[in-house]
Amino acid sequence: MSKYECPMMSRGEIVAILNESQIANISEHDLSKPNFDFVSDLYTRLLFHIDCLHEEEEHGQLEFAALDHLENPDFHVESVRIIKLYNRIKDVLASMDCPKSFTLKDLIKPAPDRTELFLSAILNFGLHRQAKLDFLRPIVDELDFLEEQQRESEARISQLNAEIEEYNEARERELPLVQEVDAKVKELRQTIAGLNNQQMSMRASYRKLKEKAGEMDEKISNAEFVLVQSVQENANLRSKIVQSPDKLQRALEEKKIVREAAKNAEKIATQSYQDKTSIVELYTKVSKKMSKHFAQMQAIQEQVNSAKSIEKDFKALKAKISDEGILDKSLEAKLVERQAKAEQLDELRSQLEKERDLKCEEATLEFNNVRLEVESRRRELEARQKNVEAVVVEVDAKTSKANSIKESGAAKVQALIQKSEEIVKEFHQYANSIDVLLPMTEAEPVVG
């Protein structure tokens, strides 16, 4: 039922709905002849079913402030319960726009047709209310699920905020180290650039020295070749000494010249060998220095690699922090959305509370009116009770007077009875005397 309506139900439909809803187990005969106990119990069950009556209201409990206005509260328990139930039924039916208004007579001396009308209105409202609750139940479940998600998101956000704070603290703690590492990396890069330049210059000088060493090797090989030739010529000259002294003398002079030239060449070769040995020693020293520089360059390269790995880790951590910042923003957006929904729910709750307060005020006003009415009726009943007491006193006086009159009448009746008995006795005596005198006076009339 999408819209609330108030159609008239038949007795069979009312009985079926009450039995299906497990509100009450009744029959159509009960509806055809309703009484006060039956309708009060049925109305109470229906009001419980639609959540319009609470347990303390059902038992008719009064507040202590209200008890002060009654002289004998125990005498008014049942009447207060009836009045409260009547007011509650009347308010409920009035809020349902029932075509007929509910009166106290409909509760104390119910009529079948009016009872069926009021039961139809309440049952239709119960069916409409149940349909609305079934329609709103998924929304309420979804709202509960969203609230649970909101709590989980808030917990996740707080956890992420804590992690972000830890990361920020760690970043602040590691920032001097990172700056120091950056300074060392820059210094190492400058050192590497200077060492690379030094290595290039040393390689160029090494190539030049290698070229000079090649030239010296070539000169040494030429000098050795010349020395071998001079030895061969010396041997030839020795073989020619015997043959010609003059020639030998000339040859010796020539050989001396050649030997001096060979000695000079040997000196030059020795000098070149010494130069080459010094160059080799220089090369060895340069090689040792270059190996040391290479080891230093490897260590520097390892430091650079470690610095790069640290920088890479730092960039990864920075990217992770940025991703978590994006996630924080999305969670903040969700949180804002959930807060907006929570505000809407708060507004709806405040509106419902206002409606509840308004209804409570109306109910309080109605209760005050009923209380004033009950108080006026109580005063009227007290006046009536006084009148009744006066009437009772008067009746007692009249009763006592009647009793006295009755007693005097009884005495008179007793006297009359005795007198009548005497008259009857005298009559019998007279009749007997008449019977004796009758045969003698048959022609004469009897004179009484």
Side-chain angles (χ1 to χ4, degrees):
M1 194 180 289
S2 61
K3 184 178 179 182
Y4 172 67
E5 297 176 355
C6 185
M8 184 70 179
M9 292 185 180
S10 63
R11 293 178 183 176
E13 291 176 347
I14 293 173
V15 171
I17 292 173
L18 290 174
N19 291 331
E20 288 178 0
S21 302
Q22 296 180 355
I23 299 172
N25 189 6
I26 64 173
S27 62
E28 296 183 12
H29 178 70
D30 297 330
L31 292 176
S32 63
K33 294 181 179 180
N35 53 31
F36 168 72
D37 295 331
F38 171 73
V39 296
S40 62
D41 180 67
L42 187 56
Y43 283 136
T44 302
R45 290 174 181 269
L46 286 172
L47 293 178
F48 269 123
H49 180 68
I50 62 175
D51 294 334
C52 291
L53 188 67
H54 303 287
E55 185 177 358
E56 60 272 10
E57 294 179 354
E58 191 269 334
H59 287 88
Q61 295 179 357
L62 291 175
E63 296 180 355
F64 291 103
L67 293 174
D68 296 336
H69 298 283
L70 300 176
E71 294 180 355
N72 297 314
D74 296 335
F75 296 158
H76 302 279
V77 171
E78 186 65 23
S79 62
V80 168
R81 189 184 70 83
I82 295 171
I83 292 297
K84 279 198 170 186
L85 181 60
Y86 160 68
N87 289 329
R88 180 61 65 185
I89 298 170
K90 182 180 178 182
D91 294 339
V92 170
L93 290 173
S95 65
M96 296 176 186
D97 295 332
C98 186
K100 293 184 180 180
S101 60
F102 189 80
T103 62
L104 188 59
K105 182 181 178 182
D106 294 322
L107 182 62
I108 297 174
K109 293 182 178 180
D113 54 348
R114 292 177 65 85
T115 302
E116 292 173 8
L117 175 63
F118 298 140
L119 291 177
S120 300
I122 296 174
L123 288 175
N124 279 302
F125 177 76
L127 294 174
H128 175 73
R129 176 178 172 276
Q130 188 63 36
K132 288 293 184 182
L133 289 176
D134 293 337
F135 176 74
L136 294 175
R137 187 170 289 111
I139 299 174
V140 175
D141 295 337
E142 185 179 0
L143 182 61
D144 294 336
F145 178 70
L146 290 175
E147 289 179 353
E148 184 66 24
Q149 281 189 343
Q150 181 181 1
R151 288 193 291 271
E152 293 178 356
S153 300
E154 289 176 354
R156 178 62 177 167
I157 288 169
S158 61
Q159 182 181 0
L160 291 175
N161 288 329
E163 292 180 359
I164 290 170
E165 290 178 359
E166 291 179 358
Y167 286 139
N168 291 329
E169 291 176 358
R171 183 174 62 182
E172 291 177 357
R173 288 196 303 268
E174 295 176 357
L175 185 61
L177 180 61
V178 172
Q179 292 176 353
E180 184 179 358
V181 171
D182 289 336
K184 288 183 179 180
V185 168
K186 290 180 181 178
E187 184 179 357
L188 290 173
R189 285 178 179 174
Q190 294 175 358
T191 305
I192 289 169
L195 291 174
N196 288 330
N197 294 328
Q198 187 177 0
Q199 184 181 10
M200 293 296 292
S201 61
M202 291 179 71
R203 285 181 179 177
S205 61
Y206 176 74
R207 285 195 295 270
K208 291 179 180 179
L209 292 173
K210 192 173 182 180
E211 290 175 358
K212 289 181 179 180
E215 292 177 355
M216 293 299 293
D217 289 335
E218 187 177 357
K219 288 181 179 179
I220 289 169
S221 61
N222 292 329
E224 289 178 353
F225 180 72
V226 172
L227 180 61
V228 170
Q229 286 181 351
S230 63
V231 169
Q232 289 178 357
E233 289 178 357
N234 191 11
N236 292 327
L237 289 172
R238 283 179 181 177
S239 62
K240 290 179 180 180
I241 289 173
V242 181
Q243 296 177 1
S244 176
D246 296 331
K247 292 181 179 180
L248 181 59
Q249 189 66 31
R250 289 194 296 272
L252 286 173
E253 291 177 355
E254 292 177 357
K255 293 298 181 180
K256 286 180 180 178
I257 295 170
V258 171
R259 187 176 62 184
E260 290 178 357
K263 286 181 179 180
N264 292 329
E266 185 178 0
K267 289 179 180 179
I268 293 170
T270 303
Q271 185 66 34
S272 64
Y273 179 74
Q274 291 176 355
D275 294 336
K276 186 176 180 181
T277 303
S278 62
I279 290 169
V280 169
E281 291 177 355
L282 180 63
Y283 283 165
T284 304
K285 292 180 181 179
V286 169
S287 177
K288 288 181 180 179
K289 287 184 179 181
M290 288 184 69
S291 63
K292 289 182 180 179
H293 287 302
F294 183 72
Q296 291 178 357
M297 288 176 66
Q298 284 182 344
I300 291 169
Q301 188 66 31
E302 289 178 357
Q303 292 179 358
V304 170
N305 291 332
S306 63
K308 286 182 179 179
S309 64
I310 292 171
E311 186 177 2
K312 186 177 180 181
D313 294 337
F314 176 74
K315 288 181 179 179
L317 183 60
K318 191 174 181 181
K320 186 177 180 181
I321 292 172
S322 63
D323 294 337
E324 290 179 351
I326 295 170
L327 181 61
D328 290 339
K329 290 181 180 178
S330 64
L331 291 175
E332 287 177 357
K334 289 184 179 179
L335 180 60
V336 170
E337 184 179 358
R338 299 287 170 77
Q339 288 177 351
K341 289 184 179 180
E343 290 177 356
Q344 292 178 358
L345 292 175
D346 291 336
E347 291 177 357
L348 180 60
R349 184 183 65 186
S350 62
Q351 185 178 1
L352 292 174
E353 288 179 353
K354 289 180 181 178
E355 293 178 357
R356 183 197 64 190
D357 295 336
L358 182 60
K359 288 184 178 180
C360 289
E361 290 177 358
E362 293 176 355
T364 305
L365 182 61
E366 185 70 21
F367 174 74
N368 293 328
N369 294 330
V370 171
R371 187 177 64 185
L372 292 174
E373 184 178 357
V374 170
E375 188 68 21
S376 63
R377 289 186 180 179
R378 185 180 64 80
R379 292 192 185 97
E380 291 177 359
L381 289 174
E382 288 178 354
R384 288 182 182 179
Q385 187 176 1
K386 290 180 181 179
N387 294 330
V388 169
E389 289 177 354
V391 171
V392 168
V393 170
E394 185 179 357
V395 168
D396 291 338
K398 289 182 178 180
T399 302
S400 62
K401 186 177 180 181
N403 289 331
S404 63
I405 293 170
K406 186 176 179 181
E407 290 176 356
S408 63
K412 289 180 179 181
V413 168
Q414 188 68 29
L416 291 172
I417 290 171
Q418 290 178 359
K419 190 174 182 180
S420 64
E421 288 178 354
E422 291 177 355
I423 291 170
V424 169
K425 187 176 180 181
E426 290 178 357
F427 176 76
H428 284 298
Q429 292 176 0
Y430 177 75
N432 290 329
S433 65
I434 291 299
D435 290 335
V436 173
L437 295 175
L438 185 61
M440 293 186 290
T441 60
E442 288 180 354
E444 294 180 5
V446 178
V447 180

